[in-house]
Amino acid sequence: WLQAQDRSAMNVALRMQPVAGEVIVDLCAGLGTKTTQMAELMEDQGTVLAVDKDVVKLEALKTNAERLGLTCIRTVALDAIADALQETGPPNWILVDAPCSNSGVLARRPEARYRIGDASLKKLANVQFSLLERAAALAGPDTWIAYSTCSIEPEENEQVVTRFIQAHAGWRVVETHLALPSAGNDDIAWRDGAFWAMLVREFKRRTNADRFTTPRKRKFETGGGKYRSYWSTADFTKEGQGVTMFAYQFAKTLGRE
């Protein structure tokens, strides 16, 4: 079975490099495209807690996970996350794939351009910041947070992350990545715009920096027809054209380079 996803959208989960046996919280799971991707990266071993305020979307996510033959995904109501983590223990990762202006996917959602303005960006930025705060409250001492949007607006990306780490001195940005939309030369080269940032507590950053200097390359089998991978396992750091890295700029802005 296949699950379609744009190459820019899939890169945040690839960079997280989840492995079998981990516990991951997808805090804004929606219909679960990234949820199912992470479950496959984990070889369907471990736990992915799919959280969303929309119960209709969670039901659709559950149906999709069953279609793909994935059993490690568990849908959780927004007010039941803490109870779920009491059972699983602290998460290894919390993914905050935040609601945004969709400015990086205007080719797919042209109507979004009419919603983008100073007032709407400010409102969205406050929602995004509150989601990062919720993730930090759920995080254990060794938990990483991945923040992502399908926006290319600094107000929703760099500025939200900077605001968060300035408000939470124990957290640091390890790496960020901005992909600009590109039509490419053919359908395969098409890419939406997207942003992600990896955050970690200061002591964890020092002891696990190798997680981001040597990306794990993983090979997936079809599992006897149970499911098959639907994303490239190539080293996506080669996708440097049209990509801007902001980690140093963040550090410089905060005087931490």
Side-chain angles (χ1 to χ4, degrees), residues 36-229:
T36 55
Q37 181 191 4
M38 292 186 293
E40 288 197 11
L41 283 168
M42 296 163 61
E43 302 177 59
D44 201 24
Q45 299 176 45
T47 303
V48 181
L49 299 177
V51 183
D52 202 275
K53 66 179 183 180
D54 189 331
V55 295
V56 175
K57 287 184 177 179
L58 287 182
E59 284 301 316
L61 188 159
K62 187 183 299 185
T63 299
N64 194 36
E66 291 171 357
R67 177 182 68 85
L68 293 168
L70 297 168
T71 61
C72 74
I73 296 171
R74 174 180 166 188
T75 56
V76 181
L78 197 60
D79 59 358
I81 313 171
D83 290 339
L85 289 175
Q86 285 290 325
E87 299 176 22
T88 64
N92 299 91
W93 281 96
I94 300 175
L95 171 62
V96 180
D97 187 34
C100 68
S101 66
N102 304 124
S103 64
V105 295
L106 293 180
R108 301 178 189 275
R109 302 192 59 179
E111 78 286 355
R113 72 187 67 216
Y114 302 110
R115 301 195 300 265
I116 300 173
D118 291 342
S120 63
L121 288 176
K122 182 176 180 179
K123 183 177 180 180
L124 284 165
N126 286 333
V127 172
Q128 292 151 356
F129 177 75
S130 68
L131 286 167
L132 278 175
E133 293 229 294
R134 181 185 285 263
L138 294 169
D142 296 332
T143 302
W144 295 70
I145 296 176
Y147 173 75
S148 67
T149 72
C150 60
S151 169
I152 57 174
E153 309 304 317
E155 293 91 338
E156 299 181 89
N157 298 332
E158 298 90 346
Q159 291 177 23
V160 169
V161 174
T162 300
R163 177 183 171 189
F164 173 77
I165 59 176
Q166 286 177 333
H168 298 268
W171 288 85
R172 297 291 181 269
V173 177
V174 175
E175 184 178 8
T176 70
H177 175 105
L178 176 69
L180 299 177
S182 175
N185 297 321
D186 51 46
D187 291 342
I188 296 177
W190 173 286
R191 181 179 68 224
D192 286 335
F195 172 87
W196 52 252
M198 303 299 173
L199 303 114
V200 69
R201 296 187 195 276
E202 178 61 30
F203 75 92
K204 189 69 175 175
R205 179 190 185 193
R206 291 196 298 268
T207 57
N208 284 288
D210 62 313
R211 182 161 196 157
F212 290 99
T213 57
T214 312
R216 290 192 290 262
K217 293 190 177 74
R218 305 180 63 80
K219 184 180 293 185
F220 294 87
E221 305 299 332
T222 59
K226 184 178 180 183
Y227 59 83
R228 65 169 61 114
S229 307

Side-chain angles (χ1 to χ4, degrees), residues 162 165 173 205 246-257:
T162 300
I165 59 176
V173 177
R205 179 190 185 193
F246 284 96
Y248 175 73
Q249 287 90 327
F250 267 148
K252 188 175 181 181
T253 299
L254 298 175
R256 296 171 181 160
E257 72 277 19

